[in-house]
Amino acid sequence: MTDPAPDPAIDDLKWDLRQRLKLLECTLLLNGWLRTQALTETFGISRAQASKDFAVYQALAPGNLVYNRSQKYYEPGEHFAARLLSGRTSELLDVLGALPGADRPVVALAAAGPNVELLRPLERELDLDILRAVSAAASNGHRLRVDYQSMRRPEPRPIELSPHTLVFSGFRWHLRAFSHEHEEYRDFVLARMANAESLPDRPGAPRDADGDWFEEVVLRVGVHPELPAAQQAVIAADYGMVDGERRVSVRRALLPYLLRLMQIEPEREHPDPLIQQICLLNPEVAHRKGWD
């Protein structure tokens, strides 16, 4: 994806207004609807200011917002096209990070920051039309029809899903959904989807039936036992371990992704302790299920 051409109407917006409008657009994409409370509650602004923000957005993107009088909320217009979001994963994560919660992002106020260099993996990009259809179906309990390119088949095929949650695994986005073809809950990578269509007239499978999503698994992560004592102590301190281990709770459905992120998948452990400095102390909890 190439960078979009500069847009003076957007570039001239004040920083705080631009952040609020990004949240507005992101909420439209993810939920399929929004009210002014999305801005008043998140940013602590008045209802009058939120209404002005909506008016600014409507001027920037005519037709993107349509008011649903019966439901008393705004929803995307028929020809909705994102104006402030480009589809980069980091951009969406930044917007989600601004939502209310215990750990809010820190806004740097200093004129000159410290000398810090950040190394990140290759940027994953999202098809915002796919994201919009998928997330709206998940938020509203509808079924979804997509053309899906599995790595187990040479060609894409249509498949009907009941989605319930979008997940960023640390490397890519996937959708947790009930597959009506396989009759079980599975994970489906967003980048492999095309021609997504929400089916509002067909109710989805209940989210509560996804046992692996609601079951919590506790991982016991420890220092590789073959390292010398002094090296073990350094690694334990680095990971905040207590008595030689660190316990991490994770949904069973997300377990394979966390193991991969931490590079402690039992079947992929490196024999050299200087490379495999930490390991899973209870490997019996690791299993693979529902990958596609």
Side-chain angles (χ1 to χ4, degrees):
M1 178 182 294
T2 58
D3 290 334
D7 187 335
I10 294 176
D11 292 343
D12 290 343
L13 295 174
K14 291 184 178 180
W15 180 87
D16 54 344
L17 174 58
R18 189 168 180 168
Q19 305 317 303
R20 297 198 298 269
L21 296 187
K22 274 192 174 184
L23 177 64
L24 185 158
E25 190 167 85
C26 183
T27 304
L28 271 181
L29 281 168
L30 295 179
N31 287 354
W33 61 273
L34 83 160
R35 296 188 174 95
T36 54
Q37 288 94 319
L39 298 183
T40 59
E41 295 177 1
T42 302
F43 295 101
I45 60 176
S46 67
R47 185 178 181 85
Q49 181 61 61
S51 297
K52 290 180 181 178
D53 290 355
F54 273 73
V56 171
Y57 184 79
Q58 287 173 314
L60 285 172
N64 266 14
L65 278 178
V66 176
Y67 188 68
N68 186 320
R69 294 186 179 279
S70 63
Q71 299 295 329
K72 297 183 179 179
Y73 58 53
Y74 290 91
E75 55 193 11
E78 181 180 358
H79 302 292
F80 175 89
R83 289 295 309 277
L84 290 99
L85 300 174
S86 66
R88 290 184 176 87
T89 286
S90 59
E91 180 182 60
L92 184 58
L93 292 175
D94 287 343
V95 174
L96 294 174
L99 298 176
D103 297 318
R104 300 292 297 273
V106 177
V107 178
L109 300 179
N115 293 325
V116 175
E117 186 74 21
L118 300 178
L119 184 64
R120 298 185 179 185
L122 292 178
E123 184 83 67
R124 296 292 182 103
E125 297 182 354
L126 291 164
D127 183 324
L128 294 181
D129 290 333
I130 296 293
L131 176 66
R132 175 185 165 195
V134 165
S135 187
S139 298
N140 296 293
H142 301 156
R143 291 195 191 189
L144 179 78
R145 183 184 294 119
V146 299
D147 292 334
Y148 191 74
Q149 178 61 71
S150 170
M151 293 296 100
R152 299 172 183 170
R153 296 173 183 259
E155 300 292 336
R157 72 192 191 282
I159 189 170
E160 199 165 298
L161 307 173
S162 289
H164 69 68
T165 306
L166 279 168
V167 176
F168 182 64
S169 69
F171 294 106
R172 66 187 183 186
W173 290 93
H174 73 257
L175 178 69
R176 185 69 178 174
F178 182 81
S179 167
H180 292 275
E181 176 181 326
H182 303 96
E183 296 188 340
E184 66 178 2
Y185 286 91
R186 292 190 170 200
D187 301 335
F188 297 87
V189 180
L190 258 64
R192 300 176 188 169
M193 296 181 181
N195 303 319
E197 178 188 3
S198 183
L199 306 173
D201 58 329
R202 304 194 65 180
R207 179 173 181 262
D208 294 347
D210 187 356
D212 281 351
W213 183 258
F214 291 100
E215 181 185 351
E216 293 283 331
V217 176
V218 177
L219 304 183
R220 295 173 51 230
V221 181
V223 182
H224 198 292
E226 295 183 15
L227 285 173
Q231 293 178 346
Q232 287 193 36
V234 169
I235 299 300
D238 187 22
Y239 283 89
M241 295 180 182
V242 177
D243 295 330
E245 71 176 59
R246 176 81 178 267
R247 299 198 173 203
V248 183
S249 181
V250 62
R251 297 181 190 274
R252 180 169 290 282
L254 302 181
L255 174 60
Y257 305 104
L258 182 59
L259 294 176
R260 179 171 297 179
L261 267 179
M262 298 177 66
Q263 298 183 346
I264 55 172
E265 297 165 286
E267 68 275 17
R268 296 187 183 184
E269 284 189 353
H270 198 282
D272 187 347
L274 291 178
I275 296 176
Q276 188 69 51
Q277 298 174 353
I278 61 172
C279 57
L280 188 60
L281 300 180
N282 56 338
E284 67 276 5
V285 304
H287 78 292
R288 296 178 182 272
K289 181 181 178 182
W291 285 40
D292 195 16

